[in-house]
Amino acid sequence: MTACALVYLAADVLARSGLKTRPGGRAVTRVSGAMMIVIGGLLPVERLAC
């Protein structure tokens, strides 16, 4: 779980620095953040189901 959190944090930092200069970057950042929250919420559910 900690490894996933570190990967997502690294992806966020890299995406934020890369998308900061683009006009549509803010929308992409919001969508990807929402997707990360959904995936993060599904991970514990999947673990409980197994």
Side-chain angles (χ1 to χ4, degrees):
M1 192 75 150
T2 304
C4 287
L6 290 175
V7 169
Y8 285 130
L9 180 62
D12 178 52
V13 170
L14 291 172
R16 191 175 304 213
S17 65
L19 293 171
K20 194 181 288 187
T21 59
R22 297 185 181 200
R26 183 170 221 138
V28 172
T29 302
R30 290 186 187 272
V31 170
S32 64
M35 290 171 61
M36 284 190 224
I37 290 170
V38 169
I39 291 169
L42 291 175
L43 286 172
V45 172
E46 181 185 11
R47 185 168 293 278
L48 290 175
C50 291

